[in-house]
Amino acid sequence: MSLCGLPKYFLAANSADGFINGFSSAFSAKDNWKAYLIKGGPGTGKSSFMKKIAYFAHSKGMEVELVFCSSDPDSLDGVILKGKKIIILDATSPHTLDPVYPAVCEELLDFGAFWNTKKIEKQREHIIRLTDKNKELHSRASRMLSAIGQLMRNDMKISLIATDIDKVFNFGEKLAKRYLKNKNQGSKEWIRYLGGVTPKGYVFYGDTIDCYCENKIIICDELYTVSNILLSVVRDIALSYGYEIITVRNNFLPREKIEHILIPEISLAFCTKNCYNNVEADGVRQIHAQRFMNRAVIKENRGKLVLSRKLINGLINGTVATLYEAKEMHDRLESYYIKAMDFESLNGLYSEFVSEILTD
């Protein structure tokens, strides 16, 4: 059975403000979630273990969501079994996560227990060198992402001057109230990322929107300001009305920009479409940001905006190349740990996990 067609996203972001770790907000002890936090070095089988869990759960008809790694989009950072309120996460650096309510909510799975320390120690110098080089490359990528963020913020300043903010707010309220009704009950918000700069280029999991929502309202906006205001209004009204929503934030500026609002219970998504978010829009209602903007201001600053886009694209390409080089270092690191792993015993842990945790 294939895992294609399942919801997939990132829970962390390589952002302009550094690495943003959203792992702890993906589950709640107060809502009776159980989190299994995997500890262990590179090459210890964390991603493979989670893929096997995902295949098994999917084959049994469970609701499965896949969390991918932005440093290697072929690997999993987590598996969420929403119906069972179970989450399995790679809790190692850079998305380190430790128990807050040990045993009650979180349990540790120590994959380091299955490696031969003496074999690893023989490669001490190589491991230290590769680890340091990997960190250096990620630091270089972070500096480029910071520059991207500054350029995007400059573009937002221009677009904000050109935007009729009151008109956008009023339209957003009417839009939200047309499709949403006040349920007078508690609300819930999940934070996700559908886009990310990875060693394989810029990745956008647009199909995930269709996994949750049959209907979409598309906001076409290359400068983000109009869509961000509209989606902020929709978000606030949806939460005040008592909906459970998925707020998809921008991976470059997650604290400042919202890209999509998904409301699965009514199968409706409010989405941003631009050069980074190629949302399928055929036969879908589209709202164009230009209707809220002073075109003379945009025309006056077009040269700056065009140059900014070229610089951003160049920096994204540079970030991708740097992350690709970092992944090569990581793959070499993995090779040392793989040779020292007792995978037969790890398979035993998988069988035990399935029989005790996932089998009713």
Side-chain angles (χ1 to χ4, degrees):
M1 179 178 287
S2 172
L3 295 178
C4 294
L6 294 178
K8 48 188 179 292
Y9 44 77
F10 303 111
L11 276 176
N14 292 314
S15 82
D17 298 317
F19 186 78
I20 305 295
N21 184 2
F23 280 34
S24 62
S25 63
F27 61 95
S28 170
K30 295 178 182 178
D31 290 335
N32 298 315
W33 278 77
K34 190 74 173 183
Y36 295 90
L37 310 181
I38 303 177
K39 299 289 186 177
T44 52
K46 300 186 293 294
S47 179
S48 297
F49 179 88
M50 288 185 283
K51 285 179 180 177
K52 289 173 69 176
I53 295 293
Y55 277 113
F56 176 84
H58 186 41
S59 71
K60 298 300 180 181
M62 299 180 199
E63 187 179 356
V64 180
E65 298 175 344
L66 306 175
V67 180
F68 281 87
C69 173
S70 59
S71 295
D72 179 6
D74 291 326
S75 296
L76 288 182
D77 268 350
V79 173
I80 301 176
L81 310 178
K82 196 170 182 181
K84 284 186 167 290
K85 292 190 174 183
I86 290 175
I87 185 169
I88 305 103
L89 292 169
D90 177 350
T92 58
S93 180
H95 29 68
T96 304
L97 189 62
D98 294 314
V100 177
Y101 308 101
V104 174
C105 177
E106 305 96 346
E107 286 194 25
L108 294 178
L109 300 178
D110 181 12
F111 283 21
F114 303 107
W115 64 33
N116 185 322
T117 303
K118 291 183 179 179
K119 284 186 178 180
I120 297 173
E121 285 179 343
K122 291 179 181 179
Q123 306 299 332
R124 175 186 176 88
E125 291 184 6
H126 296 296
I127 289 173
I128 291 174
R129 178 176 56 82
L130 289 170
T131 299
D132 290 346
K133 181 63 176 177
N134 180 273
K135 289 180 179 179
E136 177 189 330
L137 289 165
H138 276 281
S139 294
R140 186 189 304 171
S142 293
R143 291 192 293 273
M144 285 186 277
L145 287 166
S146 178
I148 291 171
Q150 188 57 53
L151 289 165
M152 286 185 167
R153 289 183 175 111
N154 290 339
D155 291 348
M156 288 175 68
K157 289 177 182 177
I158 294 172
S159 62
L160 189 61
I161 293 171
T163 300
D164 187 334
I165 296 174
D166 289 339
K167 186 177 180 181
V168 179
F169 266 104
N170 291 335
F171 182 85
E173 287 186 353
K174 292 177 182 178
L175 182 69
K177 291 177 180 178
R178 177 178 176 182
Y179 292 96
L180 308 178
K181 62 180 181 180
N182 196 338
K183 304 194 299 174
N184 294 312
Q185 64 183 45
S187 60
K188 177 67 180 179
E189 180 181 33
W190 302 98
I191 305 298
R192 302 285 189 261
Y193 302 93
L194 292 183
V197 182
T198 80
K200 300 183 75 173
Y202 189 87
V203 171
F204 174 60
Y205 294 129
D207 291 345
T208 295
I209 297 171
D210 297 318
C211 292
Y212 291 115
C213 304
E214 293 181 3
N215 304 302
K216 290 178 284 191
I217 296 171
I218 308 294
I219 307 162
C220 301
D221 185 10
E222 292 292 342
L223 296 176
Y224 280 109
T225 297
V226 171
S227 58
N228 194 43
I229 295 172
L230 284 176
L231 292 173
S232 296
V233 173
V234 170
R235 171 189 175 273
D236 291 347
I237 290 177
L239 291 174
S240 69
Y241 279 8
Y243 285 92
E244 180 173 323
I245 69 173
I246 300 171
T247 298
V248 180
R249 293 197 164 270
N250 176 271
N251 56 286
F252 294 109
L253 299 173
R255 297 187 179 97
E256 299 165 49
K257 293 183 179 182
I258 298 174
E259 292 196 321
H260 318 286
I261 298 290
L262 314 184
I263 312 178
E265 64 182 281
I266 59 172
S267 197
L268 178 63
F270 298 83
C271 306
T272 302
K273 180 178 175 63
N274 53 39
C275 63
Y276 305 112
N277 298 290
N278 188 24
V279 181
E280 179 59 48
D282 291 342
V284 174
R285 180 183 178 184
Q286 297 185 44
I287 300 164
H288 294 274
Q290 294 94 321
R291 64 186 281 189
F292 303 99
M293 305 181 80
N294 185 327
R295 297 190 181 188
V297 174
I298 298 299
K299 184 177 180 180
E300 180 184 346
N301 290 277
R302 187 168 301 282
K304 294 178 182 178
L305 295 172
V306 170
L307 176 59
S308 177
R309 177 58 54 83
K310 289 181 179 179
L311 291 172
I312 288 172
N313 289 339
L315 285 164
I316 288 175
N317 291 337
T319 304
V320 169
T322 302
L323 291 176
Y324 183 85
E325 189 177 351
K327 185 182 180 304
E328 288 185 325
M329 298 299 109
H330 186 270
D331 290 345
R332 291 168 63 183
L333 267 173
E334 282 190 334
S335 68
Y336 294 120
Y337 286 89
I338 288 172
K339 292 174 184 176
M341 279 292 292
D342 180 357
F343 286 108
E344 184 176 344
S345 295
L346 181 58
N347 287 335
L349 175 63
Y350 164 77
S351 299
E352 182 182 326
F353 188 93
V354 167
S355 63
E356 293 185 6
I357 308 301
L358 299 186
T359 303
D360 293 329

